[in-house]
Amino acid sequence: MPELPEVETIKRTLEPKLTGQSFTEAEIYLPTIIRIPNAEEFKKQIAGQKIKSISRRGKYLTINLSQNLALIFHLRMTGRLIYCHADEPLLKHTHLIMKLDSGNELRFTDVRQFGRVWLVSVQKLDTVSGLKDLGPEPFDTAFTREFLKKELRRRRTRIKPLLLDQTFIAGLGNIYADEALHRARIHPKKLACNLDARETSKLYITIREVLQEGIDNRGTTFRDYVDGDGQCGSNQDLLQIYNREGKPCFRCKTTVVKIKIGGRSSYFCPYCQKE
DNA sequence: CCGTAACCCTGCGTGC
DNA sequence: TGCACGCAGGGTTACG
């Protein structure tokens, strides 16, 4: 599940390879993944476009093109964006191939077909669903301890679903949200407005810590995630709580529990994270 | 405002 | 071995 650290890793692997190259043509095998424009327009518009830079916002990856165009990807759960030579055999579930003038290709594959692609002018970025409504970047100066404190105080929802709400904070997904809560010793069902000053401060720090460690370890490969070179990350070896149901908490040896909150699984330690 | 659930989709683990 | 079934999940939408 590509979350902020995974998308950031993909960005870092792709940027030096793609920058300066131009797209020559596109082959579309599953048109439904492209939200804007239609398949024919996509092919027509992307041909000849030069890649200026790559950027990330939350879990969205943007390839900034010449002529004020932006090619935007959201990988959802199983999407992959891989740079390789045109001779490489096609992986299963390859839905989109974008050819480059170097003889290499950028390929989009996605087992579950939930990933999405947009090609829009920068003036129309607000037509990319979810992008304009994103909350602050966890590493941006706008995301301060005071901001988190103020926002949590006025929210009467449980902390776990709130951390997953991309309009609240951009980039956290199920894995890093559980890791941040465990490290801050906060129960996932605790109401946001009931967090005390110490918990809020701790959470502010642990959100940044778990994300930074995820980036440092080149992402968490739980099942499907690979970077732009097709390489797995290593952060899965360092997870303290996610997917550890029935196993002893590394801190206190209490058995890790899995519960459902808002339809999503949540892993926590009932001793370290009291409700 | 908040919670819940359905939906999109395929692969995988489980139970029979 | 094979089949049916439930589950996994990010984001969107609908509804209470």
Side-chain angles (χ1 to χ4, degrees), chain A residues 106-152:
Chain A
L106 186 63
R107 298 176 181 176
F108 178 83
T109 77
D110 189 352
V111 170
R112 290 185 195 164
Q113 306 178 16
F114 288 174
R116 293 293 176 252
V117 182
W118 298 262
L119 180 61
V120 298
S121 67
V122 293
Q123 291 85 5
K124 292 194 171 173
L125 285 177
D126 58 349
T127 60
V128 176
S129 61
L131 186 58
K132 72 170 165 36
D133 301 317
L134 289 177
E137 281 292 313
F139 294 113
D140 194 279
T141 49
F143 182 62
T144 62
R145 202 176 299 243
E146 275 311 302
F147 169 85
L148 184 65
K149 191 176 167 189
K150 189 162 63 73
E151 286 298 311
L152 291 183

Side-chain angles (χ1 to χ4, degrees), chain A residues 44-258:
Chain A
K44 203 185 294 180
Q45 290 179 21
I46 202 156
Q49 287 290 328
K50 186 171 181 180
I51 297 166
K52 292 198 295 187
S53 63
I54 304 190
S55 49
R56 180 196 58 73
R57 175 83 170 93
K59 303 175 194 174
Y60 293 80
L61 188 80
T62 300
I63 298 181
N64 300 292
L65 302 168
S66 49
Q67 295 166 34
N68 283 330
L69 271 182
L71 176 60
I72 302 171
F73 297 88
H74 194 301
L75 304 176
R76 297 285 184 97
M77 267 112 60
T78 55
R80 293 174 163 186
L81 203 50
I82 298 176
Y83 178 87
C84 64
H85 194 267
D87 293 341
E88 292 286 320
L90 280 195
L91 290 174
K92 263 190 181 178
H93 311 292
T94 299
H95 306 316
L96 172 63
I97 297 179
M98 290 150 286
K99 297 175 185 273
L100 295 152
D101 53 6
S102 62
N104 292 293
E105 297 179 344
L106 186 63
R107 298 176 181 176
F108 178 83
T109 77
D110 189 352
V111 170
R112 290 185 195 164
Q113 306 178 16
F114 288 174
R116 293 293 176 252
V117 182
W118 298 262
L119 180 61
V120 298
S121 67
V122 293
Q123 291 85 5
K124 292 194 171 173
L125 285 177
D126 58 349
T127 60
V128 176
S129 61
L131 186 58
K132 72 170 165 36
D133 301 317
L134 289 177
E137 281 292 313
F139 294 113
D140 194 279
T141 49
F143 182 62
T144 62
R145 202 176 299 243
E146 275 311 302
F147 169 85
L148 184 65
K149 191 176 167 189
K150 189 162 63 73
E151 286 298 311
L152 291 183
R153 201 165 43 205
R154 68 183 192 86
R155 296 296 201 114
R156 298 205 182 339
T157 184
R158 295 172 295 188
I159 188 66
K160 172 69 187 288
L162 187 59
L163 293 181
L164 296 179
D165 180 351
Q166 301 299 299
T167 68
F168 177 72
I169 178 172
L172 280 174
N174 214 23
I175 297 173
Y176 294 98
D178 276 2
E179 293 295 318
L181 287 171
H182 178 254
R183 192 175 294 196
R185 305 200 187 196
I186 297 166
H187 193 289
K189 275 190 172 175
K190 188 152 185 166
L191 290 184
C193 56
N194 287 344
L195 265 64
D196 64 27
R198 192 191 56 80
E199 289 172 320
T200 305
S201 280
K202 185 76 178 151
L203 182 60
Y204 176 77
I205 292 166
T206 63
I207 286 171
R208 288 186 161 191
E209 280 179 351
V210 299
L211 292 174
Q212 186 59 55
E213 289 167 22
I215 293 170
D216 293 342
N217 294 309
R218 304 178 57 79
T220 300
T221 299
F222 181 56
R223 178 160 295 163
D224 298 284
Y225 163 73
V226 291
D227 68 19
D229 296 323
Q231 302 293 312
C232 295
S234 63
N235 200 58
Q236 63 279 4
D237 301 332
L238 295 142
L239 297 181
Q240 298 292 298
I241 197 77
Y242 184 79
N243 202 39
R244 299 198 66 250
E245 182 188 21
K247 294 177 178 161
C249 171
F250 286 128
R251 184 187 288 132
C252 73
K253 310 299 177 208
T254 302
T255 303
V256 172
V257 170
K258 177 167 93 164

